[in-house]
């Protein structure tokens, strides 16, 4: 297919081609409502995937500047059938991820999908219709591979047009995704999704009486580039709603998993920079601390890197574990030296109380996949084995983070290689790079974070 001079037209056509070629729109609809686990006893598992970032324009061509629109004119120097590090994910890469997840057949209880389906392209290249079409494409792809699996999605900052500008009230995108996700969500969940892009829903298990509540936040409302929420104290009244949900969950003795796209806390690659507006970050940290006794895990995307954080209470005690999953897209900016290999992850949890036990992190060596023209997804690491820790509880991660701060820490060296999903194991992170990392891992509020930076991470 020839590359159109009108980029928006090309993306519309390419999206249509990918949709009609690879996805069966007549796939059976999964009945709405909480999916019931068929597992029995012991440890269970669930998938977490994030930042698919489909680039429908990706194609192999003699002109490296025209391989994909997401490279923004920079030449893709090593493109292959599964992508390039200057491009967002071709559909073949995304399908290979779900094919691998299906093949290893881990009998997951459910899947967390924390947003960002459209590509990183200039605003003028997209539209509301294109964004909705790409999200629909990814939704149906997941359903194709996992037709009976309960999926809990969250919206990302790119899951809107213009990107980042998610509104505080109902919109065409909110309504569209609610229609798409009827197969996974209850009527009550769909109602708040339509109003503000967030929801809560119970996960029912036949193994234990303990109830797990999923809370999917729209943290894009707190994202700094979002002009729709400037000078708004409580965008879409999500803070008030969230506190109400957690108060009720505590009263009913429920355990809670919090999922969202933009994470709480500070960016590990940009000093003094929270992932969301600072005042929103402080308020969210306060809420999470208040209800840390019932929050069994927090799961995010957005940064494209594999990272962890520990929430401490005001006295410095570790009270919550937070995880940012690496992206499926391998894209990096042309000015960056680092990227990430595509990754997906499997969490192990105790179904008696939903405490987190382990992570099985899988990845694709993109360079090898392109050279061999075959996607050889494989296990990158098992977290407890990789770091010699007992489980993923806050106390275990707290002790691990303290090991990271030691000079010439081998634990931190492994962590940084995993942070970039084995992109290049010769890359090191020392000095200011390491200081930014260890402070972002351990401190989520402004006072403790700044104090960490000023005291050299000690």
């Amino acid at each position: 297919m020839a590359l159109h001079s009108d980029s928006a037209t090309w993306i519309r056509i390419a999206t249509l081609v990918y949709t009609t070629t690879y996805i069966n729109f007549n796939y059976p609809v999964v009945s709405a409502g909480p999916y019931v686990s068929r597992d029995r006893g012991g440890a269970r598992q669930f998938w977490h995937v994030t930042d698919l970032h489909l680039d429908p324009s990706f194609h192999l061509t003699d002109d490296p500047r025209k391989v994909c629109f997401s490279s923004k004119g920079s030449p893709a120097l090593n493109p292959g059938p599964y992508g390039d590090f200057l491009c967002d994910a071709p559909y073949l890469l995304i399908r290979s991820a779900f094919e691998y997840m299906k093949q290893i057949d881990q009998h997951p209880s459910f899947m967390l999908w924390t947003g960002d389906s459209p590509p990183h392209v200039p605003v003028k290249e997209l539209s509301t219709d294109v964004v909705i079409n790409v999200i629909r494409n990814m939704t149906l792809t997941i359903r194709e591979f996992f037709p009976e699996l309960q999926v809990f999605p969250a919206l990302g900052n790119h899951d809107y047009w213009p990107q980042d500008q998610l509104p505080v009230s109902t919109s065409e995108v909110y309504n569209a995704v609610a229609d798409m996700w009827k197969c996974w969500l209850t009527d009550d969940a769909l109602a708040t999704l339509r109003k503000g892009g967030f929801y809560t829903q119970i996960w029912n298990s036949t193994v234990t009486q303990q109830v797990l509540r999923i809370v999917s936040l729209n943290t894009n409302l707190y994202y700094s580039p979002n002009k729709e929420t400037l000078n708004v104290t409580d965008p879409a009244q999500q803070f008030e709603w969230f506190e109400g949900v957690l108060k009720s969950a505590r009263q009913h003795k429920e355990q809670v998993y919090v999922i969202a796209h933009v994470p709480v806390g500070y960016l590990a690659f940009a000093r003094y920079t929270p992932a969301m507006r600072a005042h929103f970050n402080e308020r969210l940290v306060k809420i999470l601390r208040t209800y840390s006794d019932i929050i069994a895990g927090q799961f995010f995307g957005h940064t494209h890197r594999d990272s962890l954080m520990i929430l401490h209470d005001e006295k410095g005690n570790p009270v919550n574990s937070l995880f940012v999953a690496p992206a499926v897209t391998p894209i990096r900016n042309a000015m960056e030296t680092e990227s990430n290999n595509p990754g997906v992850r499997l969490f192990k949890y105790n179904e008696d109380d939903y405490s987190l036990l382990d992570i099985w992190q899988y990845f694709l060596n993109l360079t090898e996949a392109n050279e061999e023209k075959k996607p050889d997804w494989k296990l990158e690491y098992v977290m407890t084995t990789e770091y010699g820790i007992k489980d993923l509880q806050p106390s275990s991660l707290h002790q691990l983070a303290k090991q990271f701060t030691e000079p010439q820490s081998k634990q931190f060296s492994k962590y940084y290689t995993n942070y970039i999903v084995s992109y290049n194991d010769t890359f090191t992170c020392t000095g200011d790079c390491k200081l930014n990392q260890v402070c972002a891992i351990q401190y989520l509020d402004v006072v403790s974070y700044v104090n960490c930076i000023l005291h050299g991470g000690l």
Side-chain angles (χ1 to χ4, degrees), residues 314-381:
E314 291 85 349
K315 296 180 181 180
N317 301 308
V319 293
N320 253 194
S321 302
L322 301 84
F323 302 92
V324 180
V328 171
T329 183
I331 195 171
R332 67 173 172 85
N333 187 286
M335 301 301 293
E336 294 176 314
T337 58
E338 297 174 345
S339 190
N340 61 281
N341 277 308
V344 296
R345 69 172 30 165
L346 189 77
F347 278 92
K348 304 281 186 175
Y349 71 96
N350 184 329
E351 193 161 13
D352 289 337
D353 60 5
Y354 299 101
S355 58
L356 298 173
L357 303 175
D358 215 340
I359 290 173
W360 288 45
Q361 180 62 47
Y362 300 93
F363 84 115
L364 178 70
N365 185 315
L366 182 62
T367 302
E368 290 182 359
N370 283 335
E371 290 174 351
E372 298 171 6
K373 295 181 172 52
K374 183 178 71 173
D376 185 19
W377 285 83
K378 61 186 70 173
L379 180 67
E380 184 183 21
Y381 68 84

Side-chain angles (χ1 to χ4, degrees), residues 93-399:
L93 170 61
I94 294 171
R95 283 189 67 86
S96 77
F98 290 120
E99 284 172 352
Y100 180 76
M101 291 162 62
K102 184 71 172 180
Q103 287 168 5
I104 61 174
D105 195 23
Q106 290 284 352
H107 303 291
S109 300
F110 52 84
M111 181 189 298
L112 306 181
W113 174 27
T114 50
D116 266 12
S117 293
H120 297 82
V121 295
V123 171
K124 64 184 179 66
E125 313 294 1
L126 297 175
S127 68
T128 295
D129 287 344
V130 172
V131 166
I132 289 172
N133 199 16
V134 172
I135 299 173
R136 181 180 293 111
N137 186 315
M138 296 297 91
T139 299
L140 293 175
T141 300
I142 292 173
R143 286 177 54 199
E144 177 186 349
F145 286 100
F146 300 97
E148 295 185 0
L149 184 64
Q150 170 68 56
V151 178
F152 295 108
L155 286 167
N157 60 298
H158 283 270
D159 294 326
Y160 202 80
W161 188 84
Q163 69 184 49
D164 307 327
Q165 308 308 311
L166 283 81
V168 299
S169 59
T170 190
S171 69
E172 187 174 352
V173 170
Y174 290 170
N175 281 324
V177 296
D179 289 339
M180 291 177 211
W181 298 341
K182 286 179 180 178
C183 56
W184 298 324
L185 303 181
T186 62
D187 289 343
D188 287 345
L190 293 170
T192 56
L193 180 61
R194 292 183 188 279
K195 290 180 180 179
F198 51 86
Y199 66 88
T200 184
Q201 184 163 309
I202 293 293
W203 157 255
N204 285 334
S205 169
T206 60
V207 181
T208 177
Q209 295 302 310
Q210 177 61 59
V211 173
L212 175 66
R213 178 173 292 279
I214 306 293
V215 179
S216 180
L217 295 178
N218 183 0
T219 50
N220 310 289
L221 297 174
Y222 312 140
Y223 191 39
S224 297
N226 191 342
K227 298 176 183 178
E228 296 292 315
T229 58
L230 274 174
N231 303 315
V232 180
T233 303
D234 184 5
Q237 289 75 55
Q238 184 175 220
F239 283 129
E240 179 182 356
W241 172 87
F242 186 32
E243 289 187 273
V245 168
L246 292 175
K247 182 178 180 180
S248 176
R250 179 184 280 165
Q251 290 173 345
H252 291 89
K253 296 180 170 51
E254 299 167 351
Q255 289 293 290
V256 175
Y257 283 172
V258 177
I259 70 173
H261 183 69
V262 178
V264 68
Y266 283 75
L267 297 175
F269 53 84
R271 183 168 296 185
Y272 296 125
T273 307
M276 59 184 68
R277 289 193 178 107
H279 62 288
F280 288 144
N281 184 69
E282 293 300 299
R283 185 166 179 181
L284 189 52
V285 167
K286 183 178 180 180
I287 295 171
L288 295 171
R289 280 174 169 165
T290 300
Y291 293 95
S292 61
D293 57 310
I294 63 168
I295 298 175
Q298 299 182 47
F299 311 91
F300 304 95
H302 184 61
T303 69
H304 296 197
R305 303 295 189 263
D306 180 348
S307 55
L308 61 88
M309 294 179 282
I310 306 107
L311 177 65
H312 295 81
D313 64 17
E314 291 85 349
K315 296 180 181 180
N317 301 308
V319 293
N320 253 194
S321 302
L322 301 84
F323 302 92
V324 180
V328 171
T329 183
I331 195 171
R332 67 173 172 85
N333 187 286
M335 301 301 293
E336 294 176 314
T337 58
E338 297 174 345
S339 190
N340 61 281
N341 277 308
V344 296
R345 69 172 30 165
L346 189 77
F347 278 92
K348 304 281 186 175
Y349 71 96
N350 184 329
E351 193 161 13
D352 289 337
D353 60 5
Y354 299 101
S355 58
L356 298 173
L357 303 175
D358 215 340
I359 290 173
W360 288 45
Q361 180 62 47
Y362 300 93
F363 84 115
L364 178 70
N365 185 315
L366 182 62
T367 302
E368 290 182 359
N370 283 335
E371 290 174 351
E372 298 171 6
K373 295 181 172 52
K374 183 178 71 173
D376 185 19
W377 285 83
K378 61 186 70 173
L379 180 67
E380 184 183 21
Y381 68 84
V382 176
M383 190 161 183
T384 55
T385 304
E386 181 83 339
Y387 299 111
I389 57 178
K390 181 176 65 174
D391 51 33
L392 307 187
Q393 293 308 293
S395 57
S396 297
L397 298 187
H398 174 80
Q399 292 303 318

